[in-house]
Amino acid sequence: MFMLILLFVYFSLAACEVISPSHNYNVTLPEVNAPYVAGQMLPISYTLPDDTSLSNSLSLSIYFTTQDPSLNFTEIVITSNADISQGFSFRRTHNTYIYYEHQLSYALPNSTLPGTYVVQFVDSVSRTNTTIPIIVRPYAAPVTSLNSMTSKSRPTGGSIFAMTSNEHSIHPLSGLLMISMMTVAILC
């Protein structure tokens, strides 16, 4: 078991993972102090060792919260029962080391104020927490310009090669280019 923990720690450091205090899981996403944007997805990923008795030693919940009282933010439960299964679809290998990777996404609310927040992984069995600080940037509404979309007219029919009233002349090399493309198409 000790060797398993050492291997788990070794590969965690190599992949820039955050190791839990209980060594029962590692957090791979979100990255520490990484910027994320309100209104977009927050990726969450964690890895588990290959241990058949893991369900007896780990019960994981994930929260989104802040430690900054000026943000006036209420803690949000992302999941109260994170998946710790060791099914084939989650199985990964690194050289001969076997581990299990779980991923989920959390949609950051548009109304999230910019600031420093934390994604907190709580193990209720060992009563330990792993806290990942992140930076949330303000919501950026998608930019759509109806004027630019309506001012461009689309052809309603006919050939895409037909000249329109905006085209006054054809470049002298365009005919040669067309013949070259047709020759390549015939040879292929």
Side-chain angles (χ1 to χ4, degrees), residues 168-181:
H168 299 292
S169 63
I170 297 177
H171 192 276
L173 295 178
S174 63
L176 182 60
L177 178 64
M178 184 63 83
I179 292 171
S180 299
M181 289 182 357

Side-chain angles (χ1 to χ4, degrees), residues 1 4 7 11 14 16 20 22 31 45 51 56-57 72 87 95 121-122 124-125 128 139 151 157-158 162 164 169:
M1 181 66 174
L4 180 66
L7 284 172
F11 288 114
C16 297
S20 70
S22 63
E31 294 179 11
S45 178
D51 183 358
N56 298 326
S57 59
N72 194 22
N95 294 329
F121 293 75
V122 178
S124 62
V125 175
T128 58
Y139 172 71
S151 65
T164 63
S169 63

Side-chain angles (χ1 to χ4, degrees), residues 63-86:
Y63 300 92
F64 179 67
T65 188
T66 185
Q67 296 170 342
D68 183 353
S70 69
L71 292 174
N72 194 22
F73 185 81
T74 304
E75 178 177 271
I76 295 174
V77 177
I78 295 174
T79 180
S80 60
N81 188 18
D83 188 1
I84 60 167
S85 64
Q86 296 186 349

